[in-house]
Amino acid sequence: MAKIIVVTSGKGGVGKTTSAAAIATGLALRGNKTVVIDFDVGLRNLDLIMGCERRVVYDLVNVIQGEAGLNQALIRDKRVDNLHILPASQTRDKDALTNEGVEKVLDSLSEDFDYILCDSPAGIERGAQLAMYFADEAVVVTNPEVSSVRDSDRILGLLASKTRRAERSQDPIKEHLLITRYNPARVDHGDMLNLEDIREILAINLIGLIPESEAVLRASNQGIPVTHDANSDAGQAYTDTVSRLLGEEVPLRFHEYQKKSLLSRVFGGGRR
Amino acid sequence: MSLNVDRASTAFTFKGGMLPMTVMELTSADPERIREQLAGKLSQSPAFFQHTPVVLSVEKLDEPHLALERICAVCRAHKLLPVAVRGGSDPVKQSAWALGLGWFPPQEIKPRNLESVATPAPEAAADNEPVPASGGRIHRGTVRSGQQLTAPDGDLVVIGAVNAGAEVLAAGNVHVYGALRGRALAGIHGDAQAGIFCRELHAELLSVAGNYKRLEDIDPRLLGSAVQVRLSDDQLAIASLA
């Protein structure tokens, strides 16, 4: 049985797809058979971030509507053997997704994979609710700003009430906080919320902290998940995050502002 | 890796559940008198009247025939949703069913007299259903943005934080053992003695018996501290608990 993990946030543009791609890549690099599903029907992005946009033939909606088999729609990643991508449809909308259809796809994938990552669309409507409905664990992506924190809080409320585990009164979904675009210098200046404030408001376990990094933008545009960029701070932070997801204890990095370390990062290969 | 369709999916499952329910105990069968009283209550605590389901209890009425349809219409006009009737004669039962409402038999325990001021001895709760004597409610954990928690018959105790965008309401007091960042409304049925207590004040809105203060109206020196909120001369008084 696969573990189903939803990557969600409520707010758009906080780094859900980047994080889903990076975590899926990290899990596969550690030897886990992993599939990442794009639930953002109508606004397909995951294929670009994963660099497989030229190989999309069939998509999630085709599979749900019986127009293609799951094997036809799954795209094998070029860089990591254990990693597959199930893209979203760009020409349909979220109404094309049905609860039963999604359940069937997840059940079939469960037989072959260790991890299923669901990349949720923004918002709290149908697409987002379907992406989280069958999840065992949730990674809630939050930026250090008040609106993002409030939207994450709202999503946490939905995770505790509008999911299969909640409706069947099973063990609740395991919730993890992933803070992205963290800039310790701006936190020090008071421009951004600090780590402790976010943790206090959301009151869930911190799984990772991704520093604001040029490597992320570069990775997105090149279609290579940032986890592959082992020299970058963001790549290392995602690798740490994956280790914590797998149950390992890893000390937190990149959360403190030190002038020295910034200099050494500039000269020490932060850029390539 | 084909799609397996073998899992027969059921359309629903029946589940037993205990839900908090407001009982509207009628002491008059006159729809006009009910309308007047509802209008007064509505202006006091509008937050309570949001399509709140109510059970109409007619046990105290000694009338075999009721203008049930008109009473229901009055309730709906004030955003109360009658879902069932409790007690009453056989014709009352029949007309409840005809209106699509449920019917409950009269309560077995003799209902308390509304006029009596003395606190009655706590009644023994049923063996397997622990019901707090006061009709209050305890919530453990964070109340999150978009969530609403109501204690329609007593105090509400939150062991955790109430986050921005969340709303906690109680007929009695509201206690928050954590940070209060959302909205807190005490005395929603008009109890002017009710209060709000919290460990850390950042509330968007505080209200006791319909008198409210917004975050902007609160003395900034009190923000972040432990406070109690009470009604004094129709004004909300916020005092530090330290």
Side-chain angles (χ1 to χ4, degrees), chain B residues 58-87:
Chain B
V58 297
E59 289 157 284
K60 295 217 157 168
L61 297 178
D62 204 10
E63 290 179 49
H65 295 279
L66 276 178
L68 204 52
E69 198 171 351
R70 283 182 62 198
I71 295 174
C72 286
V74 168
C75 288
R76 290 202 188 95
H78 290 83
K79 289 200 175 172
L80 289 180
L81 272 185
V83 291
V85 174
R86 189 169 74 188

PDB file of all heavy atoms in Angstrom, chain B residues 58-87:
ATOM      1  N   VAL B  58     -43.215  21.936  22.869  1.00  0.00           N
ATOM      2  CA  VAL B  58     -44.551  22.463  23.190  1.00  0.00           C
ATOM      3  C   VAL B  58     -45.096  21.792  24.447  1.00  0.00           C
ATOM      4  O   VAL B  58     -46.281  21.831  24.727  1.00  0.00           O
ATOM      5  CB  VAL B  58     -45.528  22.266  21.999  1.00  0.00           C
ATOM      6  CG1 VAL B  58     -45.032  23.044  20.807  1.00  0.00           C
ATOM      7  CG2 VAL B  58     -45.650  20.799  21.639  1.00  0.00           C
ATOM      8  N   GLU B  59     -44.158  21.185  25.227  1.00  0.00           N
ATOM      9  CA  GLU B  59     -44.598  20.448  26.409  1.00  0.00           C
ATOM     10  C   GLU B  59     -45.328  21.333  27.411  1.00  0.00           C
ATOM     11  O   GLU B  59     -46.187  20.889  28.150  1.00  0.00           O
ATOM     12  CB  GLU B  59     -43.398  19.798  27.097  1.00  0.00           C
ATOM     13  CG  GLU B  59     -42.838  18.641  26.305  1.00  0.00           C
ATOM     14  CD  GLU B  59     -41.400  18.377  26.647  1.00  0.00           C
ATOM     15  OE1 GLU B  59     -40.540  19.137  26.189  1.00  0.00           O
ATOM     16  OE2 GLU B  59     -41.141  17.439  27.393  1.00  0.00           O
ATOM     17  N   LYS B  60     -44.918  22.623  27.447  1.00  0.00           N
ATOM     18  CA  LYS B  60     -45.495  23.504  28.459  1.00  0.00           C
ATOM     19  C   LYS B  60     -46.837  24.057  28.040  1.00  0.00           C
ATOM     20  O   LYS B  60     -47.506  24.726  28.811  1.00  0.00           O
ATOM     21  CB  LYS B  60     -44.540  24.661  28.715  1.00  0.00           C
ATOM     22  CG  LYS B  60     -43.251  24.193  29.329  1.00  0.00           C
ATOM     23  CD  LYS B  60     -42.790  25.197  30.320  1.00  0.00           C
ATOM     24  CE  LYS B  60     -41.864  24.527  31.306  1.00  0.00           C
ATOM     25  NZ  LYS B  60     -41.170  25.512  32.109  1.00  0.00           N
ATOM     26  N   LEU B  61     -47.200  23.841  26.789  1.00  0.00           N
ATOM     27  CA  LEU B  61     -48.443  24.377  26.292  1.00  0.00           C
ATOM     28  C   LEU B  61     -49.540  23.340  26.501  1.00  0.00           C
ATOM     29  O   LEU B  61     -49.330  22.156  26.288  1.00  0.00           O
ATOM     30  CB  LEU B  61     -48.323  24.699  24.801  1.00  0.00           C
ATOM     31  CG  LEU B  61     -47.294  25.766  24.451  1.00  0.00           C
ATOM     32  CD1 LEU B  61     -47.245  25.945  22.959  1.00  0.00           C
ATOM     33  CD2 LEU B  61     -47.629  27.078  25.130  1.00  0.00           C
ATOM     34  N   ASP B  62     -50.682  23.808  26.901  1.00  0.00           N
ATOM     35  CA  ASP B  62     -51.775  22.876  27.131  1.00  0.00           C
ATOM     36  C   ASP B  62     -52.825  23.064  26.051  1.00  0.00           C
ATOM     37  O   ASP B  62     -53.989  23.256  26.339  1.00  0.00           O
ATOM     38  CB  ASP B  62     -52.341  23.105  28.538  1.00  0.00           C
ATOM     39  CG  ASP B  62     -53.020  21.846  29.036  1.00  0.00           C
ATOM     40  OD1 ASP B  62     -52.868  20.798  28.376  1.00  0.00           O
ATOM     41  OD2 ASP B  62     -53.722  21.921  30.045  1.00  0.00           O
ATOM     42  N   GLU B  63     -52.387  23.089  24.812  1.00  0.00           N
ATOM     43  CA  GLU B  63     -53.349  23.322  23.742  1.00  0.00           C
ATOM     44  C   GLU B  63     -53.289  22.166  22.757  1.00  0.00           C
ATOM     45  O   GLU B  63     -52.223  21.855  22.235  1.00  0.00           O
ATOM     46  CB  GLU B  63     -53.024  24.630  23.030  1.00  0.00           C
ATOM     47  CG  GLU B  63     -53.314  25.825  23.898  1.00  0.00           C
ATOM     48  CD  GLU B  63     -52.972  27.120  23.199  1.00  0.00           C
ATOM     49  OE1 GLU B  63     -53.391  27.281  22.043  1.00  0.00           O
ATOM     50  OE2 GLU B  63     -52.296  27.947  23.815  1.00  0.00           O
ATOM     51  N   PRO B  64     -54.406  21.530  22.503  1.00  0.00           N
ATOM     52  CA  PRO B  64     -54.406  20.385  21.593  1.00  0.00           C
ATOM     53  C   PRO B  64     -54.107  20.799  20.151  1.00  0.00           C
ATOM     54  O   PRO B  64     -53.545  20.026  19.383  1.00  0.00           O
ATOM     55  CB  PRO B  64     -55.805  19.792  21.736  1.00  0.00           C
ATOM     56  CG  PRO B  64     -56.645  20.895  22.297  1.00  0.00           C
ATOM     57  CD  PRO B  64     -55.743  21.790  23.076  1.00  0.00           C
ATOM     58  N   HIS B  65     -54.476  22.023  19.758  1.00  0.00           N
ATOM     59  CA  HIS B  65     -54.239  22.448  18.374  1.00  0.00           C
ATOM     60  C   HIS B  65     -53.327  23.677  18.381  1.00  0.00           C
ATOM     61  O   HIS B  65     -53.538  24.607  19.136  1.00  0.00           O
ATOM     62  CB  HIS B  65     -55.549  22.766  17.665  1.00  0.00           C
ATOM     63  CG  HIS B  65     -56.399  21.546  17.510  1.00  0.00           C
ATOM     64  ND1 HIS B  65     -56.201  20.631  16.506  1.00  0.00           N
ATOM     65  CD2 HIS B  65     -57.419  21.079  18.270  1.00  0.00           C
ATOM     66  CE1 HIS B  65     -57.078  19.649  16.651  1.00  0.00           C
ATOM     67  NE2 HIS B  65     -57.827  19.890  17.714  1.00  0.00           N
ATOM     68  N   LEU B  66     -52.326  23.620  17.546  1.00  0.00           N
ATOM     69  CA  LEU B  66     -51.349  24.704  17.484  1.00  0.00           C
ATOM     70  C   LEU B  66     -51.297  25.260  16.075  1.00  0.00           C
ATOM     71  O   LEU B  66     -51.458  24.515  15.107  1.00  0.00           O
ATOM     72  CB  LEU B  66     -49.957  24.170  17.808  1.00  0.00           C
ATOM     73  CG  LEU B  66     -49.537  24.035  19.265  1.00  0.00           C
ATOM     74  CD1 LEU B  66     -48.156  23.438  19.312  1.00  0.00           C
ATOM     75  CD2 LEU B  66     -49.556  25.388  19.944  1.00  0.00           C
ATOM     76  N   ALA B  67     -51.016  26.551  15.945  1.00  0.00           N
ATOM     77  CA  ALA B  67     -50.781  27.132  14.615  1.00  0.00           C
ATOM     78  C   ALA B  67     -49.319  26.865  14.238  1.00  0.00           C
ATOM     79  O   ALA B  67     -48.518  27.779  14.078  1.00  0.00           O
ATOM     80  CB  ALA B  67     -51.080  28.621  14.635  1.00  0.00           C
ATOM     81  N   LEU B  68     -49.006  25.561  14.132  1.00  0.00           N
ATOM     82  CA  LEU B  68     -47.605  25.165  13.962  1.00  0.00           C
ATOM     83  C   LEU B  68     -46.995  25.769  12.698  1.00  0.00           C
ATOM     84  O   LEU B  68     -45.845  26.208  12.696  1.00  0.00           O
ATOM     85  CB  LEU B  68     -47.538  23.636  13.906  1.00  0.00           C
ATOM     86  CG  LEU B  68     -46.220  23.002  14.295  1.00  0.00           C
ATOM     87  CD1 LEU B  68     -45.736  23.499  15.646  1.00  0.00           C
ATOM     88  CD2 LEU B  68     -46.357  21.491  14.339  1.00  0.00           C
ATOM     89  N   GLU B  69     -47.782  25.814  11.649  1.00  0.00           N
ATOM     90  CA  GLU B  69     -47.259  26.320  10.381  1.00  0.00           C
ATOM     91  C   GLU B  69     -46.850  27.783  10.519  1.00  0.00           C
ATOM     92  O   GLU B  69     -45.785  28.188  10.040  1.00  0.00           O
ATOM     93  CB  GLU B  69     -48.327  26.157   9.300  1.00  0.00           C
ATOM     94  CG  GLU B  69     -47.736  26.242   7.905  1.00  0.00           C
ATOM     95  CD  GLU B  69     -48.758  25.862   6.843  1.00  0.00           C
ATOM     96  OE1 GLU B  69     -49.847  25.370   7.209  1.00  0.00           O
ATOM     97  OE2 GLU B  69     -48.434  26.078   5.671  1.00  0.00           O
ATOM     98  N   ARG B  70     -47.688  28.563  11.209  1.00  0.00           N
ATOM     99  CA  ARG B  70     -47.364  29.987  11.371  1.00  0.00           C
ATOM    100  C   ARG B  70     -46.163  30.171  12.296  1.00  0.00           C
ATOM    101  O   ARG B  70     -45.309  31.032  12.068  1.00  0.00           O
ATOM    102  CB  ARG B  70     -48.581  30.744  11.931  1.00  0.00           C
ATOM    103  CG  ARG B  70     -49.652  31.015  10.865  1.00  0.00           C
ATOM    104  CD  ARG B  70     -50.802  31.801  11.422  1.00  0.00           C
ATOM    105  NE  ARG B  70     -50.402  33.136  11.896  1.00  0.00           N
ATOM    106  CZ  ARG B  70     -51.134  33.862  12.728  1.00  0.00           C
ATOM    107  NH1 ARG B  70     -52.269  33.381  13.193  1.00  0.00           N
ATOM    108  NH2 ARG B  70     -50.711  35.047  13.107  1.00  0.00           N
ATOM    109  N   ILE B  71     -46.096  29.366  13.352  1.00  0.00           N
ATOM    110  CA  ILE B  71     -44.944  29.473  14.258  1.00  0.00           C
ATOM    111  C   ILE B  71     -43.650  29.164  13.505  1.00  0.00           C
ATOM    112  O   ILE B  71     -42.638  29.862  13.643  1.00  0.00           O
ATOM    113  CB  ILE B  71     -45.124  28.512  15.463  1.00  0.00           C
ATOM    114  CG1 ILE B  71     -46.337  28.950  16.297  1.00  0.00           C
ATOM    115  CG2 ILE B  71     -43.872  28.483  16.326  1.00  0.00           C
ATOM    116  CD1 ILE B  71     -46.701  28.003  17.421  1.00  0.00           C
ATOM    117  N   CYS B  72     -43.689  28.122  12.669  1.00  0.00           N
ATOM    118  CA  CYS B  72     -42.491  27.770  11.886  1.00  0.00           C
ATOM    119  C   CYS B  72     -42.115  28.905  10.937  1.00  0.00           C
ATOM    120  O   CYS B  72     -40.934  29.230  10.774  1.00  0.00           O
ATOM    121  CB  CYS B  72     -42.752  26.492  11.080  1.00  0.00           C
ATOM    122  SG  CYS B  72     -42.763  25.025  12.098  1.00  0.00           S
ATOM    123  N   ALA B  73     -43.135  29.515  10.328  1.00  0.00           N
ATOM    124  CA  ALA B  73     -42.851  30.603   9.390  1.00  0.00           C
ATOM    125  C   ALA B  73     -42.178  31.766  10.105  1.00  0.00           C
ATOM    126  O   ALA B  73     -41.238  32.375   9.589  1.00  0.00           O
ATOM    127  CB  ALA B  73     -44.156  31.051   8.727  1.00  0.00           C
ATOM    128  N   VAL B  74     -42.654  32.072  11.330  1.00  0.00           N
ATOM    129  CA  VAL B  74     -42.050  33.152  12.115  1.00  0.00           C
ATOM    130  C   VAL B  74     -40.591  32.830  12.408  1.00  0.00           C
ATOM    131  O   VAL B  74     -39.698  33.667  12.280  1.00  0.00           O
ATOM    132  CB  VAL B  74     -42.844  33.355  13.435  1.00  0.00           C
ATOM    133  CG1 VAL B  74     -42.078  34.246  14.389  1.00  0.00           C
ATOM    134  CG2 VAL B  74     -44.206  33.960  13.125  1.00  0.00           C
ATOM    135  N   CYS B  75     -40.345  31.575  12.811  1.00  0.00           N
ATOM    136  CA  CYS B  75     -38.966  31.160  13.107  1.00  0.00           C
ATOM    137  C   CYS B  75     -38.075  31.328  11.879  1.00  0.00           C
ATOM    138  O   CYS B  75     -36.985  31.883  11.951  1.00  0.00           O
ATOM    139  CB  CYS B  75     -38.937  29.700  13.546  1.00  0.00           C
ATOM    140  SG  CYS B  75     -39.624  29.446  15.180  1.00  0.00           S
ATOM    141  N   ARG B  76     -38.558  30.834  10.731  1.00  0.00           N
ATOM    142  CA  ARG B  76     -37.736  30.891   9.519  1.00  0.00           C
ATOM    143  C   ARG B  76     -37.471  32.332   9.117  1.00  0.00           C
ATOM    144  O   ARG B  76     -36.380  32.668   8.669  1.00  0.00           O
ATOM    145  CB  ARG B  76     -38.433  30.162   8.373  1.00  0.00           C
ATOM    146  CG  ARG B  76     -38.462  28.660   8.610  1.00  0.00           C
ATOM    147  CD  ARG B  76     -38.648  27.860   7.336  1.00  0.00           C
ATOM    148  NE  ARG B  76     -38.860  26.460   7.680  1.00  0.00           N
ATOM    149  CZ  ARG B  76     -40.064  25.913   7.803  1.00  0.00           C
ATOM    150  NH1 ARG B  76     -41.146  26.616   7.542  1.00  0.00           N
ATOM    151  NH2 ARG B  76     -40.177  24.646   8.163  1.00  0.00           N
ATOM    152  N   ALA B  77     -38.462  33.193   9.330  1.00  0.00           N
ATOM    153  CA  ALA B  77     -38.279  34.601   8.988  1.00  0.00           C
ATOM    154  C   ALA B  77     -37.164  35.214   9.830  1.00  0.00           C
ATOM    155  O   ALA B  77     -36.552  36.202   9.449  1.00  0.00           O
ATOM    156  CB  ALA B  77     -39.583  35.359   9.202  1.00  0.00           C
ATOM    157  N   HIS B  78     -36.885  34.614  10.996  1.00  0.00           N
ATOM    158  CA  HIS B  78     -35.813  35.121  11.846  1.00  0.00           C
ATOM    159  C   HIS B  78     -34.590  34.219  11.784  1.00  0.00           C
ATOM    160  O   HIS B  78     -33.780  34.163  12.708  1.00  0.00           O
ATOM    161  CB  HIS B  78     -36.298  35.263  13.286  1.00  0.00           C
ATOM    162  CG  HIS B  78     -37.292  36.365  13.445  1.00  0.00           C
ATOM    163  ND1 HIS B  78     -38.626  36.188  13.178  1.00  0.00           N
ATOM    164  CD2 HIS B  78     -37.137  37.668  13.804  1.00  0.00           C
ATOM    165  CE1 HIS B  78     -39.257  37.336  13.388  1.00  0.00           C
ATOM    166  NE2 HIS B  78     -38.393  38.250  13.745  1.00  0.00           N
ATOM    167  N   LYS B  79     -34.494  33.469  10.697  1.00  0.00           N
ATOM    168  CA  LYS B  79     -33.319  32.633  10.444  1.00  0.00           C
ATOM    169  C   LYS B  79     -33.110  31.566  11.505  1.00  0.00           C
ATOM    170  O   LYS B  79     -31.982  31.273  11.909  1.00  0.00           O
ATOM    171  CB  LYS B  79     -32.051  33.466  10.282  1.00  0.00           C
ATOM    172  CG  LYS B  79     -32.037  34.241   8.975  1.00  0.00           C
ATOM    173  CD  LYS B  79     -30.646  34.653   8.615  1.00  0.00           C
ATOM    174  CE  LYS B  79     -30.612  35.319   7.257  1.00  0.00           C
ATOM    175  NZ  LYS B  79     -29.342  35.882   6.942  1.00  0.00           N
ATOM    176  N   LEU B  80     -34.209  31.012  12.007  1.00  0.00           N
ATOM    177  CA  LEU B  80     -34.129  29.814  12.828  1.00  0.00           C
ATOM    178  C   LEU B  80     -34.780  28.708  12.019  1.00  0.00           C
ATOM    179  O   LEU B  80     -35.808  28.927  11.380  1.00  0.00           O
ATOM    180  CB  LEU B  80     -34.892  29.988  14.141  1.00  0.00           C
ATOM    181  CG  LEU B  80     -34.296  30.917  15.178  1.00  0.00           C
ATOM    182  CD1 LEU B  80     -35.182  30.957  16.407  1.00  0.00           C
ATOM    183  CD2 LEU B  80     -32.897  30.468  15.571  1.00  0.00           C
ATOM    184  N   LEU B  81     -34.191  27.529  12.006  1.00  0.00           N
ATOM    185  CA  LEU B  81     -34.722  26.426  11.213  1.00  0.00           C
ATOM    186  C   LEU B  81     -35.355  25.387  12.122  1.00  0.00           C
ATOM    187  O   LEU B  81     -34.635  24.584  12.719  1.00  0.00           O
ATOM    188  CB  LEU B  81     -33.596  25.760  10.430  1.00  0.00           C
ATOM    189  CG  LEU B  81     -33.246  26.303   9.055  1.00  0.00           C
ATOM    190  CD1 LEU B  81     -32.190  25.416   8.423  1.00  0.00           C
ATOM    191  CD2 LEU B  81     -34.468  26.359   8.164  1.00  0.00           C
ATOM    192  N   PRO B  82     -36.693  25.365  12.241  1.00  0.00           N
ATOM    193  CA  PRO B  82     -37.314  24.307  13.050  1.00  0.00           C
ATOM    194  C   PRO B  82     -37.079  22.965  12.357  1.00  0.00           C
ATOM    195  O   PRO B  82     -37.347  22.830  11.173  1.00  0.00           O
ATOM    196  CB  PRO B  82     -38.796  24.680  13.051  1.00  0.00           C
ATOM    197  CG  PRO B  82     -38.871  26.078  12.537  1.00  0.00           C
ATOM    198  CD  PRO B  82     -37.690  26.281  11.673  1.00  0.00           C
ATOM    199  N   VAL B  83     -36.542  21.993  13.106  1.00  0.00           N
ATOM    200  CA  VAL B  83     -36.292  20.677  12.522  1.00  0.00           C
ATOM    201  C   VAL B  83     -37.192  19.611  13.128  1.00  0.00           C
ATOM    202  O   VAL B  83     -37.387  18.562  12.533  1.00  0.00           O
ATOM    203  CB  VAL B  83     -34.821  20.239  12.673  1.00  0.00           C
ATOM    204  CG1 VAL B  83     -33.920  21.099  11.816  1.00  0.00           C
ATOM    205  CG2 VAL B  83     -34.372  20.293  14.112  1.00  0.00           C
ATOM    206  N   ALA B  84     -37.734  19.886  14.306  1.00  0.00           N
ATOM    207  CA  ALA B  84     -38.588  18.894  14.941  1.00  0.00           C
ATOM    208  C   ALA B  84     -39.422  19.551  16.026  1.00  0.00           C
ATOM    209  O   ALA B  84     -39.153  20.682  16.437  1.00  0.00           O
ATOM    210  CB  ALA B  84     -37.746  17.774  15.544  1.00  0.00           C
ATOM    211  N   VAL B  85     -40.434  18.810  16.474  1.00  0.00           N
ATOM    212  CA  VAL B  85     -41.297  19.260  17.565  1.00  0.00           C
ATOM    213  C   VAL B  85     -41.174  18.244  18.679  1.00  0.00           C
ATOM    214  O   VAL B  85     -41.048  17.042  18.416  1.00  0.00           O
ATOM    215  CB  VAL B  85     -42.765  19.367  17.090  1.00  0.00           C
ATOM    216  CG1 VAL B  85     -43.692  19.694  18.248  1.00  0.00           C
ATOM    217  CG2 VAL B  85     -42.894  20.403  15.991  1.00  0.00           C
ATOM    218  N   ARG B  86     -41.168  18.730  19.922  1.00  0.00           N
ATOM    219  CA  ARG B  86     -41.126  17.792  21.043  1.00  0.00           C
ATOM    220  C   ARG B  86     -42.385  17.946  21.884  1.00  0.00           C
ATOM    221  O   ARG B  86     -42.745  19.056  22.267  1.00  0.00           O
ATOM    222  CB  ARG B  86     -39.890  18.048  21.906  1.00  0.00           C
ATOM    223  CG  ARG B  86     -39.696  16.952  22.962  1.00  0.00           C
ATOM    224  CD  ARG B  86     -38.349  17.065  23.618  1.00  0.00           C
ATOM    225  NE  ARG B  86     -38.310  18.180  24.548  1.00  0.00           N
ATOM    226  CZ  ARG B  86     -37.189  18.595  25.137  1.00  0.00           C
ATOM    227  NH1 ARG B  86     -36.042  18.006  24.869  1.00  0.00           N
ATOM    228  NH2 ARG B  86     -37.221  19.606  25.968  1.00  0.00           N
ATOM    229  N   GLY B  87     -43.046  16.846  22.163  1.00  0.00           N
ATOM    230  CA  GLY B  87     -44.220  16.843  23.025  1.00  0.00           C
ATOM    231  C   GLY B  87     -45.473  17.280  22.287  1.00  0.00           C
ATOM    232  O   GLY B  87     -45.482  17.460  21.070  1.00  0.00           O
TER     233      GLY B  87
END
